[in-house]
Amino acid sequence: MGERQDTAMVDTAIRTSVSGTTAATVEVAPSDARIDVPALAHQLLGTWPEARLASRALAAKPEMQRIEGQSMDDHRDRVFHQLKLLVENGQVLKAFPKRLGGADDHGGNIAGFEELVLADPSLQIKSGVQWGLFGAAILHLGTEPHHDAFLPGAMNLHVPGAFAMTESGHGSDVASIATTATYDPETQEFVIDTPFRAAWKDYLGNAAVHGKAATLFAQLITNGVNHGVHCFYVPIRDDEGAFLPGIGGEDDGLKGGLNGIDNGRLHFTGVRVPRTNLLNRYGDVAEDGTYSSPIKSPGRRFFTMLGTLVQGRVSLDGAATSASALALQIAITYGSERRQFNAGSDTQEEVILDYQRHQRRLLPRLATTYAQIFAHDRLLVKFDEVFSGKADSDDDRQDLETLAAALKPLSTWHALDTLQEAREACGGNGFLAENRLTGLRADLDVYATFEGDNNVLLQLVAKRLLTDYSRKFAKVDAGALARYVVEQATDRAVHSSGLRSLAQTVKDFGSTARSVSQLRDTNVQRELLTERVESMIAEVATKLRGANKLSKQAASDLFNAHQNELIEAARAHGELLQWEAFTEGVEQIQDPGTKQVLTWVHDLFGLSLIEKHLAWYLIHGRLSPQRGQAVSAYVDRLIARLRPHALDLVEAFGFAPEHVRAPIATGQEAQRQQEAADYFAELRASGDAPVDEKTLTKKSR
Amino acid sequence: MGERQDTAMVDTAIRTSVSGTTAATVEVAPSDARIDVPALAHQLLGTWPEARLASRALAAKPEMQRIEGQSMDDHRDRVFHQLKLLVENGQVLKAFPKRLGGADDHGGNIAGFEELVLADPSLQIKSGVQWGLFGAAILHLGTEPHHDAFLPGAMNLHVPGAFAMTESGHGSDVASIATTATYDPETQEFVIDTPFRAAWKDYLGNAAVHGKAATLFAQLITNGVNHGVHCFYVPIRDDEGAFLPGIGGEDDGLKGGLNGIDNGRLHFTGVRVPRTNLLNRYGDVAEDGTYSSPIKSPGRRFFTMLGTLVQGRVSLDGAATSASALALQIAITYGSERRQFNAGSDTQEEVILDYQRHQRRLLPRLATTYAQIFAHDRLLVKFDEVFSGKADSDDDRQDLETLAAALKPLSTWHALDTLQEAREACGGNGFLAENRLTGLRADLDVYATFEGDNNVLLQLVAKRLLTDYSRKFAKVDAGALARYVVEQATDRAVHSSGLRSLAQTVKDFGSTARSVSQLRDTNVQRELLTERVESMIAEVATKLRGANKLSKQAASDLFNAHQNELIEAARAHGELLQWEAFTEGVEQIQDPGTKQVLTWVHDLFGLSLIEKHLAWYLIHGRLSPQRGQAVSAYVDRLIARLRPHALDLVEAFGFAPEHVRAPIATGQEAQRQQEAADYFAELRASGDAPVDEKTLTKKSR
């Protein structure tokens, strides 16, 4: 049949295309390729393997793990107690200064933190609130006296703390929060006030029950001038857990997940804190009320302050990726054992992972998870460079923020999508709480909107891409710009964080990709993915050109009319970053068998992206209809080829049974299958088996 | 700018294209169009408005509603008590015979049933277990003596019952269940046995706690012959709730949702029931053990029996659609009040539903929900015709099953997608349990895999489409078939349930759709959507041709290599059915303003489908790249045009505050916004407002 010939052709193409690409060094015959699982597992641990392994050892302990079905109150108590165990263990304190018992290890700290998601996402997030937000605000926004005064209590959990930034009325738009901190020179105190209900601090972990202090963000007002959002250290409860005078609050109550965390609301009426409780690294008020700051521009100051808190986004990217890997470990293990329907045989039923549709549901998501693991490590290295001071220029910080803002949305959405697909792929078993998929999904739900709403983050990325683009073309008139969109520049190395260079012009590209086999060429994939980001940004930039001459409202309307395109461009940029990281990861593999299989996984990721956006490639003439059709054929072929390696690929995630914990992924299903098969074999052998009516019907004809 | 011109062109096109299409009677200027909300609300109630309204009145009562955060045990007790209230109310018993207190009203019964999802999905599903599965099995698989003996207890809840079909080892493949019912002529009893662990009945509602009997499916064996799966009435617990001799079980425990239902497992060892407990409508065993059936073919008999239980799928389609509507009611109300960022103004922040991306997230899902409401009513009418006997030929039954199998997957997936998008669109507020989105999503999760796994159902639809196709071309050789795929027949009215007729050939189509304006022409949309289903099926049929000459394994492999394509074809078929129902619905509207707005909603649905599958249309030459790009431009334009009608469109769903119950959809947010705005206005008027540092910086320059 036609399709079978296509498949054979694709096979040949795959072998042929090996030369001249990443896979050039591979000399293993496809059918013989085997993954060196321990070596790959080690590589996937990334730049801080010891930190990850130590954290996984913690997560393997029953006392650190979630108990499904606990009441909200019991769950909160349990997680709070687990935080004390983390203090004893000490690893979560790595990012703090050595002189206070930390290790000044920023990258290793986050690497370890995010593995806690395997024990309980509530534990990961509540730890994140205490040390990654409350503690980190003191560390990064405060100065040495604050470190000495407040960090020990934050670190040893004597002072559980809330990170009081978000208000009921303002989440994404932090600059517009309405809580005020007005300096009173007479008493040398700041007076904290909540002017109306929408300015209540909201959704704060540790605020409902456990918090004794807060790092509170408020508009700093002194001498009649509002200097914008600053952070203050504010005690909120006494040792008996009662609110201090002027402070009130509410419990946020039951949530869709993460119920081990006591989220709540806080409000302040005339609450006074000493002048020195202003965390004054980026802005200070003298005794007489004079404001000073090392950063002149209020806007830049604000973004610098917020930028120190990027670690939340970084760690969500890692935790979401770990959760996706866990979901696939469960679903692929179950899918390799579960059997249903016997289309191809009279006695043996099919393993469900042998169905093409089942492969289509799980294997591209596996490929994306691999890409994310590599991309996350790159993000973490960047994070470490900035926070260790190895490379912390303004540009470095902005690049880090753009990278985090591009990757966190993709990985957190991917986690929800993968957990859901894994749940459905495990059928009724997937819906049982004991198999963990529903609970993890419920917990990770909010990862898509906290620490930066995913859509808002992607818009930030898009604005950065537009800025990079307009810098390059600041002096080019609109006509040149329009031509640029059509003609494409030959070399467009624009910016490290932003637009990527194209090795070839569109015209050249049209000819180089003439053969379908080249879709698997790494350079062709790079060109296709890069070209798309660049063109999307260039198109929108052209449409927005002149917006600065419009009224504020008209400019805003114009921008809004292209908001969806912009966000899609940012998504394409994030996908490209993931693909590039994966490409680098594959290049580092030494073992030929592993490299061969990972090259397929890498190609599956790249081609799945191209398949997802195929309409764009067709409309923009980057792929002919014939080549477009070949993309899906390749994806099908790669999926079939990867099927035998699926179990190795999830084993390489390195999860122990104590991390997986889902009964359906323990071999239980295979054991049941065997018991049933043995029963029928014995029955047939006994001669007592009833005759099937269908057989009789056939005979009687 | 280019885009602005495009938009203007689209506007003109929209006005121009009105003539000659569904919208031909509309004479309202677009800007003046208003929805007659009460009239539309009535239309959306469908064919059984009274049943829906009566059920909604029930769902509005606090005692029928879910309490978020209840423990599993308390929730189970509450829902069981609610079932007793339903008995008192009597509406849920409508489908049963008049002589036993019912009303022989099948359509009205389901219409009412599915509205219970507004109170608590656990209530909807537990009712479904008792009356839609357990009771319906007695009704449809039993005969008059069974009705007399068993229906009263099932109806009045004196005998809570489990529907014991699924086993741990077999869910989708019911024909392979392993529980046996062996006839013993000496005692004239059936002996029920569970041969191994995988044959335990599993996931059965009412099995863990409340069930006193079960309609149990087992392989019927008599005189050494297995006659396949039949249903038996089997008492399982005594009046004190203890298992009867030979019966054991387990609680399925906590689930990802629907925890108001006591799902559990059952196993049977030598359990004896009287011969007359066989529900014998489609197969009987005489005293001497002789088997007889009105349906000779064991295969057809099996599918006939299963077919009587289609109402589960039908009601899930309706309930999932209601839940989607509720989610949109919440998110669109909140999105119309919530403000964030002030890009276009210095003082007033933007309402988030005014952002293009926010509209893109919610309005196409609103359009799909509308399409589903119309499609569901059509399904319900078909269901009623079959079960009332008005039109219950074999073909009618098969059409009903195909329709249900096509619509249920789409609507249940849509519900999960919409609940999640609505959750994210409401930010942190959406994650609070009180706002219901997370709880509804958790409950509806399993709708995607129970009563027929969605992927398995779509495969059934695809096989039906293939069968219809091959019947038509049974005598055409492969060469003719191949030509058919390329050339397309002029008229292909194939089958009422299946392939649709095309008014024009591909060539003609190429010319008729030359103008982008015609994308909004109903006939053009119909052609595009129909063409895609037909071509996809024809392509796969061609590839599969000759499979019957292959070995069983080879044929199975060939089929598997195209499984994904087939399932996508079935999805396309389902989408077409929804679009057609929506088209009919719009045609019935009398009020010009309502008709105008609903025409836009309809077009948004149709064009969103075409946009989703744009790559297919481009690859297959059905749309040129230029026209392909116009699709997205149209969608953007329609979304902007529908924005002012969004609140009317959700109001027309007709939910009372007692159905919505989410605090964020009660005006709370608008009230907070007003309070904040008043505060700032007063502050500005007072002259005491602090000066913004940014303002000072600008002045000092």
mmCIF file of all heavy atoms in Angstrom, chain B residues 45-48 52 106-108 110-111 114 314 373-391 396 400 403 407 584:
data_model
loop_
_atom_site.group_PDB
_atom_site.id
_atom_site.type_symbol
_atom_site.label_atom_id
_atom_site.label_comp_id
_atom_site.label_asym_id
_atom_site.label_seq_id
_atom_site.Cartn_x
_atom_site.Cartn_y
_atom_site.Cartn_z
ATOM 1 N N LEU B 45 -33.030 25.738 26.016
ATOM 2 C CA LEU B 45 -33.535 24.651 26.866
ATOM 3 C C LEU B 45 -33.908 23.424 26.040
ATOM 4 O O LEU B 45 -34.071 22.334 26.580
ATOM 5 C CB LEU B 45 -34.753 25.129 27.678
ATOM 6 C CG LEU B 45 -34.460 26.122 28.800
ATOM 7 C CD1 LEU B 45 -35.762 26.657 29.392
ATOM 8 C CD2 LEU B 45 -33.610 25.487 29.903
ATOM 9 N N GLY B 46 -34.078 23.609 24.741
ATOM 10 C CA GLY B 46 -34.257 22.470 23.853
ATOM 11 C C GLY B 46 -35.652 21.895 23.846
ATOM 12 O O GLY B 46 -36.635 22.573 24.196
ATOM 13 N N THR B 47 -35.768 20.634 23.481
ATOM 14 C CA THR B 47 -37.042 19.979 23.226
ATOM 15 C C THR B 47 -37.826 19.677 24.502
ATOM 16 O O THR B 47 -39.034 19.498 24.457
ATOM 17 C CB THR B 47 -36.781 18.692 22.425
ATOM 18 O OG1 THR B 47 -35.994 19.030 21.274
ATOM 19 C CG2 THR B 47 -38.076 18.052 21.953
ATOM 20 N N TRP B 48 -37.137 19.592 25.628
ATOM 21 C CA TRP B 48 -37.828 19.288 26.891
ATOM 22 C C TRP B 48 -37.584 20.399 27.917
ATOM 23 O O TRP B 48 -36.956 20.170 28.961
ATOM 24 C CB TRP B 48 -37.369 17.939 27.447
ATOM 25 C CG TRP B 48 -37.848 16.784 26.638
ATOM 26 C CD1 TRP B 48 -39.012 16.089 26.812
ATOM 27 C CD2 TRP B 48 -37.189 16.170 25.522
ATOM 28 N NE1 TRP B 48 -39.133 15.092 25.867
ATOM 29 C CE2 TRP B 48 -38.030 15.121 25.060
ATOM 30 C CE3 TRP B 48 -35.995 16.406 24.854
ATOM 31 C CZ2 TRP B 48 -37.686 14.315 23.975
ATOM 32 C CZ3 TRP B 48 -35.649 15.603 23.780
ATOM 33 C CH2 TRP B 48 -36.504 14.573 23.343
ATOM 34 N N ARG B 52 -36.111 20.290 32.022
ATOM 35 C CA ARG B 52 -34.879 20.968 32.440
ATOM 36 C C ARG B 52 -35.155 21.975 33.552
ATOM 37 O O ARG B 52 -34.410 22.066 34.517
ATOM 38 C CB ARG B 52 -34.228 21.694 31.257
ATOM 39 C CG ARG B 52 -33.567 20.758 30.298
ATOM 40 C CD ARG B 52 -32.592 21.454 29.363
ATOM 41 N NE ARG B 52 -32.240 20.498 28.314
ATOM 42 C CZ ARG B 52 -31.311 19.565 28.435
ATOM 43 N NH1 ARG B 52 -30.598 19.470 29.543
ATOM 44 N NH2 ARG B 52 -31.080 18.720 27.464
ATOM 45 N N HIS B 106 -38.578 9.097 27.869
ATOM 46 C CA HIS B 106 -37.133 8.836 27.838
ATOM 47 C C HIS B 106 -36.328 10.102 27.624
ATOM 48 O O HIS B 106 -35.341 10.343 28.314
ATOM 49 C CB HIS B 106 -36.839 7.771 26.785
ATOM 50 C CG HIS B 106 -37.532 6.480 27.089
ATOM 51 N ND1 HIS B 106 -36.976 5.523 27.900
ATOM 52 C CD2 HIS B 106 -38.761 6.014 26.739
ATOM 53 C CE1 HIS B 106 -37.824 4.509 28.033
ATOM 54 N NE2 HIS B 106 -38.917 4.786 27.323
ATOM 55 N N GLY B 107 -36.740 10.914 26.663
ATOM 56 C CA GLY B 107 -35.990 12.144 26.392
ATOM 57 C C GLY B 107 -36.066 13.128 27.548
ATOM 58 O O GLY B 107 -35.044 13.670 27.994
ATOM 59 N N GLY B 108 -37.274 13.350 28.054
ATOM 60 C CA GLY B 108 -37.456 14.291 29.156
ATOM 61 C C GLY B 108 -36.690 13.845 30.386
ATOM 62 O O GLY B 108 -36.144 14.664 31.144
ATOM 63 N N ILE B 110 -33.823 12.135 30.535
ATOM 64 C CA ILE B 110 -32.393 12.436 30.420
ATOM 65 C C ILE B 110 -32.162 13.948 30.519
ATOM 66 O O ILE B 110 -31.220 14.408 31.176
ATOM 67 C CB ILE B 110 -31.816 11.897 29.095
ATOM 68 C CG1 ILE B 110 -31.957 10.378 29.035
ATOM 69 C CG2 ILE B 110 -30.367 12.309 28.918
ATOM 70 C CD1 ILE B 110 -31.088 9.632 30.003
ATOM 71 N N ALA B 111 -33.022 14.719 29.872
ATOM 72 C CA ALA B 111 -32.880 16.177 29.923
ATOM 73 C C ALA B 111 -32.839 16.656 31.369
ATOM 74 O O ALA B 111 -32.024 17.503 31.742
ATOM 75 C CB ALA B 111 -34.016 16.854 29.161
ATOM 76 N N GLU B 114 -29.467 15.321 33.462
ATOM 77 C CA GLU B 114 -28.153 15.927 33.252
ATOM 78 C C GLU B 114 -28.031 17.301 33.898
ATOM 79 O O GLU B 114 -26.932 17.737 34.210
ATOM 80 C CB GLU B 114 -27.819 15.960 31.755
ATOM 81 C CG GLU B 114 -28.880 16.595 30.904
ATOM 82 C CD GLU B 114 -28.778 16.174 29.432
ATOM 83 O OE1 GLU B 114 -28.247 15.091 29.147
ATOM 84 O OE2 GLU B 114 -29.232 16.937 28.581
ATOM 85 N N VAL B 314 -25.275 9.469 26.326
ATOM 86 C CA VAL B 314 -26.124 10.604 25.954
ATOM 87 C C VAL B 314 -26.142 11.632 27.078
ATOM 88 O O VAL B 314 -25.941 12.832 26.859
ATOM 89 C CB VAL B 314 -27.556 10.130 25.633
ATOM 90 C CG1 VAL B 314 -28.476 11.329 25.391
ATOM 91 C CG2 VAL B 314 -27.556 9.199 24.424
ATOM 92 N N ILE B 373 -24.716 22.560 22.641
ATOM 93 C CA ILE B 373 -26.089 22.587 23.171
ATOM 94 C C ILE B 373 -27.077 22.164 22.078
ATOM 95 O O ILE B 373 -27.960 21.341 22.306
ATOM 96 C CB ILE B 373 -26.432 23.997 23.708
ATOM 97 C CG1 ILE B 373 -25.632 24.264 24.989
ATOM 98 C CG2 ILE B 373 -27.933 24.139 23.957
ATOM 99 C CD1 ILE B 373 -25.746 25.690 25.519
ATOM 100 N N PHE B 374 -26.881 22.717 20.877
ATOM 101 C CA PHE B 374 -27.783 22.347 19.777
ATOM 102 C C PHE B 374 -27.582 20.884 19.372
ATOM 103 O O PHE B 374 -28.546 20.165 19.107
ATOM 104 C CB PHE B 374 -27.563 23.284 18.583
ATOM 105 C CG PHE B 374 -28.031 24.692 18.833
ATOM 106 C CD1 PHE B 374 -27.137 25.741 18.988
ATOM 107 C CD2 PHE B 374 -29.394 24.966 18.940
ATOM 108 C CE1 PHE B 374 -27.580 27.042 19.230
ATOM 109 C CE2 PHE B 374 -29.849 26.274 19.190
ATOM 110 C CZ PHE B 374 -28.940 27.310 19.334
ATOM 111 N N ALA B 375 -26.322 20.453 19.320
ATOM 112 C CA ALA B 375 -26.055 19.063 18.910
ATOM 113 C C ALA B 375 -26.614 18.086 19.937
ATOM 114 O O ALA B 375 -27.150 17.036 19.588
ATOM 115 C CB ALA B 375 -24.546 18.850 18.743
ATOM 116 N N HIS B 376 -26.501 18.463 21.213
ATOM 117 C CA HIS B 376 -27.000 17.552 22.239
ATOM 118 C C HIS B 376 -28.512 17.388 22.139
ATOM 119 O O HIS B 376 -29.035 16.285 22.318
ATOM 120 C CB HIS B 376 -26.619 18.047 23.628
ATOM 121 C CG HIS B 376 -27.167 17.168 24.701
ATOM 122 N ND1 HIS B 376 -26.761 15.857 24.855
ATOM 123 C CD2 HIS B 376 -28.147 17.365 25.633
ATOM 124 C CE1 HIS B 376 -27.434 15.299 25.848
ATOM 125 N NE2 HIS B 376 -28.287 16.192 26.321
ATOM 126 N N ASP B 377 -29.206 18.454 21.852
ATOM 127 C CA ASP B 377 -30.658 18.332 21.744
ATOM 128 C C ASP B 377 -31.033 17.386 20.599
ATOM 129 O O ASP B 377 -31.975 16.594 20.713
ATOM 130 C CB ASP B 377 -31.314 19.700 21.559
ATOM 131 C CG ASP B 377 -32.827 19.636 21.790
ATOM 132 O OD1 ASP B 377 -33.231 19.261 22.908
ATOM 133 O OD2 ASP B 377 -33.590 19.907 20.850
ATOM 134 N N ARG B 378 -30.297 17.479 19.527
ATOM 135 C CA ARG B 378 -30.544 16.569 18.399
ATOM 136 C C ARG B 378 -30.308 15.118 18.808
ATOM 137 O O ARG B 378 -31.079 14.223 18.443
ATOM 138 C CB ARG B 378 -29.586 16.951 17.264
ATOM 139 C CG ARG B 378 -30.219 16.878 15.913
ATOM 140 C CD ARG B 378 -29.459 17.684 14.910
ATOM 141 N NE ARG B 378 -28.576 16.849 14.112
ATOM 142 C CZ ARG B 378 -28.186 17.158 12.876
ATOM 143 N NH1 ARG B 378 -28.629 18.265 12.300
ATOM 144 N NH2 ARG B 378 -27.377 16.387 12.216
ATOM 145 N N LEU B 379 -29.246 14.913 19.559
ATOM 146 C CA LEU B 379 -28.943 13.556 20.051
ATOM 147 C C LEU B 379 -30.057 13.055 20.951
ATOM 148 O O LEU B 379 -30.486 11.894 20.870
ATOM 149 C CB LEU B 379 -27.609 13.605 20.818
ATOM 150 C CG LEU B 379 -27.200 12.358 21.609
ATOM 151 C CD1 LEU B 379 -27.025 11.145 20.688
ATOM 152 C CD2 LEU B 379 -25.898 12.618 22.373
ATOM 153 N N LEU B 380 -30.577 13.947 21.792
ATOM 154 C CA LEU B 380 -31.605 13.566 22.745
ATOM 155 C C LEU B 380 -32.914 13.225 22.017
ATOM 156 O O LEU B 380 -33.621 12.291 22.409
ATOM 157 C CB LEU B 380 -31.816 14.740 23.723
ATOM 158 C CG LEU B 380 -32.236 14.395 25.138
ATOM 159 C CD1 LEU B 380 -31.369 13.303 25.734
ATOM 160 C CD2 LEU B 380 -32.154 15.656 26.006
ATOM 161 N N VAL B 381 -33.208 13.964 20.964
ATOM 162 C CA VAL B 381 -34.409 13.676 20.176
ATOM 163 C C VAL B 381 -34.282 12.296 19.534
ATOM 164 O O VAL B 381 -35.214 11.487 19.555
ATOM 165 C CB VAL B 381 -34.625 14.773 19.106
ATOM 166 C CG1 VAL B 381 -35.684 14.343 18.098
ATOM 167 C CG2 VAL B 381 -35.031 16.091 19.776
ATOM 168 N N LYS B 382 -33.103 12.010 19.001
ATOM 169 C CA LYS B 382 -32.857 10.696 18.391
ATOM 170 C C LYS B 382 -33.007 9.601 19.445
ATOM 171 O O LYS B 382 -33.630 8.558 19.200
ATOM 172 C CB LYS B 382 -31.439 10.674 17.801
ATOM 173 C CG LYS B 382 -31.085 9.400 17.069
ATOM 174 C CD LYS B 382 -31.574 9.455 15.650
ATOM 175 C CE LYS B 382 -31.471 8.098 14.972
ATOM 176 N NZ LYS B 382 -32.236 8.053 13.726
ATOM 177 N N PHE B 383 -32.433 9.860 20.609
ATOM 178 C CA PHE B 383 -32.522 8.891 21.705
ATOM 179 C C PHE B 383 -33.977 8.620 22.057
ATOM 180 O O PHE B 383 -34.405 7.471 22.223
ATOM 181 C CB PHE B 383 -31.757 9.445 22.924
ATOM 182 C CG PHE B 383 -31.960 8.666 24.181
ATOM 183 C CD1 PHE B 383 -31.244 7.489 24.416
ATOM 184 C CD2 PHE B 383 -32.857 9.093 25.161
ATOM 185 C CE1 PHE B 383 -31.438 6.766 25.584
ATOM 186 C CE2 PHE B 383 -33.058 8.365 26.328
ATOM 187 C CZ PHE B 383 -32.341 7.199 26.546
ATOM 188 N N ASP B 384 -34.752 9.683 22.152
ATOM 189 C CA ASP B 384 -36.158 9.534 22.527
ATOM 190 C C ASP B 384 -36.922 8.754 21.461
ATOM 191 O O ASP B 384 -37.767 7.912 21.781
ATOM 192 C CB ASP B 384 -36.777 10.919 22.731
ATOM 193 C CG ASP B 384 -38.174 10.830 23.299
ATOM 194 O OD1 ASP B 384 -38.305 10.441 24.475
ATOM 195 O OD2 ASP B 384 -39.138 11.128 22.570
ATOM 196 N N GLU B 385 -36.613 9.027 20.206
ATOM 197 C CA GLU B 385 -37.306 8.310 19.116
ATOM 198 C C GLU B 385 -37.044 6.809 19.202
ATOM 199 O O GLU B 385 -37.952 5.998 19.039
ATOM 200 C CB GLU B 385 -36.824 8.840 17.760
ATOM 201 C CG GLU B 385 -37.396 10.203 17.416
ATOM 202 C CD GLU B 385 -36.769 10.813 16.172
ATOM 203 O OE1 GLU B 385 -35.838 10.188 15.606
ATOM 204 O OE2 GLU B 385 -37.189 11.910 15.786
ATOM 205 N N VAL B 386 -35.807 6.460 19.485
ATOM 206 C CA VAL B 386 -35.466 5.036 19.548
ATOM 207 C C VAL B 386 -36.114 4.390 20.766
ATOM 208 O O VAL B 386 -36.742 3.328 20.672
ATOM 209 C CB VAL B 386 -33.935 4.848 19.578
ATOM 210 C CG1 VAL B 386 -33.571 3.415 19.976
ATOM 211 C CG2 VAL B 386 -33.331 5.197 18.225
ATOM 212 N N PHE B 387 -35.999 5.020 21.920
ATOM 213 C CA PHE B 387 -36.452 4.365 23.147
ATOM 214 C C PHE B 387 -37.955 4.452 23.360
ATOM 215 O O PHE B 387 -38.525 3.657 24.087
ATOM 216 C CB PHE B 387 -35.647 4.863 24.355
ATOM 217 C CG PHE B 387 -34.311 4.203 24.435
ATOM 218 C CD1 PHE B 387 -33.259 4.594 23.612
ATOM 219 C CD2 PHE B 387 -34.113 3.122 25.298
ATOM 220 C CE1 PHE B 387 -32.037 3.947 23.658
ATOM 221 C CE2 PHE B 387 -32.891 2.468 25.345
ATOM 222 C CZ PHE B 387 -31.840 2.880 24.528
ATOM 223 N N SER B 388 -38.586 5.419 22.708
ATOM 224 C CA SER B 388 -40.042 5.467 22.786
ATOM 225 C C SER B 388 -40.664 4.536 21.759
ATOM 226 O O SER B 388 -41.862 4.312 21.776
ATOM 227 C CB SER B 388 -40.518 6.900 22.526
ATOM 228 O OG SER B 388 -40.289 7.229 21.162
ATOM 229 N N GLY B 389 -39.842 4.014 20.840
ATOM 230 C CA GLY B 389 -40.350 3.136 19.803
ATOM 231 C C GLY B 389 -40.841 3.872 18.570
ATOM 232 O O GLY B 389 -41.311 3.265 17.619
ATOM 233 N N LYS B 390 -40.698 5.212 18.568
ATOM 234 C CA LYS B 390 -41.158 5.975 17.401
ATOM 235 C C LYS B 390 -40.344 5.629 16.162
ATOM 236 O O LYS B 390 -40.839 5.628 15.038
ATOM 237 C CB LYS B 390 -41.014 7.483 17.667
ATOM 238 C CG LYS B 390 -42.161 8.091 18.445
ATOM 239 C CD LYS B 390 -41.916 9.590 18.678
ATOM 240 C CE LYS B 390 -42.239 9.990 20.108
ATOM 241 N NZ LYS B 390 -41.603 11.218 20.548
ATOM 242 N N ALA B 391 -39.058 5.374 16.373
ATOM 243 C CA ALA B 391 -38.185 5.021 15.256
ATOM 244 C C ALA B 391 -37.062 4.188 15.824
ATOM 245 O O ALA B 391 -36.047 4.717 16.250
ATOM 246 C CB ALA B 391 -37.657 6.286 14.581
ATOM 247 N N ASP B 396 -31.750 2.775 13.060
ATOM 248 C CA ASP B 396 -31.939 3.881 13.992
ATOM 249 C C ASP B 396 -31.072 3.707 15.224
ATOM 250 O O ASP B 396 -30.445 4.649 15.708
ATOM 251 C CB ASP B 396 -33.417 3.964 14.422
ATOM 252 C CG ASP B 396 -34.302 4.511 13.318
ATOM 253 O OD1 ASP B 396 -33.893 5.485 12.671
ATOM 254 O OD2 ASP B 396 -35.399 3.953 13.112
ATOM 255 N N LEU B 400 -28.050 6.121 16.404
ATOM 256 C CA LEU B 400 -28.024 6.718 17.736
ATOM 257 C C LEU B 400 -26.686 6.434 18.422
ATOM 258 O O LEU B 400 -26.062 7.326 19.003
ATOM 259 C CB LEU B 400 -29.181 6.158 18.577
ATOM 260 C CG LEU B 400 -29.134 6.479 20.071
ATOM 261 C CD1 LEU B 400 -29.209 7.982 20.317
ATOM 262 C CD2 LEU B 400 -30.273 5.756 20.820
ATOM 263 N N LEU B 403 -23.931 8.442 16.820
ATOM 264 C CA LEU B 403 -24.055 9.849 17.192
ATOM 265 C C LEU B 403 -23.545 10.080 18.620
ATOM 266 O O LEU B 403 -22.757 11.003 18.883
ATOM 267 C CB LEU B 403 -25.543 10.223 17.090
ATOM 268 C CG LEU B 403 -25.966 11.659 16.862
ATOM 269 C CD1 LEU B 403 -25.302 12.243 15.634
ATOM 270 C CD2 LEU B 403 -27.499 11.712 16.710
ATOM 271 N N LEU B 407 -20.319 12.350 19.748
ATOM 272 C CA LEU B 407 -20.493 13.607 20.487
ATOM 273 C C LEU B 407 -19.930 13.560 21.908
ATOM 274 O O LEU B 407 -19.387 14.552 22.401
ATOM 275 C CB LEU B 407 -21.973 13.993 20.530
ATOM 276 C CG LEU B 407 -22.606 14.326 19.169
ATOM 277 C CD1 LEU B 407 -24.084 14.690 19.351
ATOM 278 C CD2 LEU B 407 -21.869 15.467 18.464
ATOM 279 N N GLU B 584 -28.682 24.497 12.033
ATOM 280 C CA GLU B 584 -30.148 24.354 12.130
ATOM 281 C C GLU B 584 -30.722 25.229 13.230
ATOM 282 O O GLU B 584 -31.784 25.830 13.083
ATOM 283 C CB GLU B 584 -30.512 22.896 12.425
ATOM 284 C CG GLU B 584 -30.419 21.987 11.224
ATOM 285 C CD GLU B 584 -30.795 20.559 11.593
ATOM 286 O OE1 GLU B 584 -31.449 20.347 12.639
ATOM 287 O OE2 GLU B 584 -30.410 19.661 10.837
#
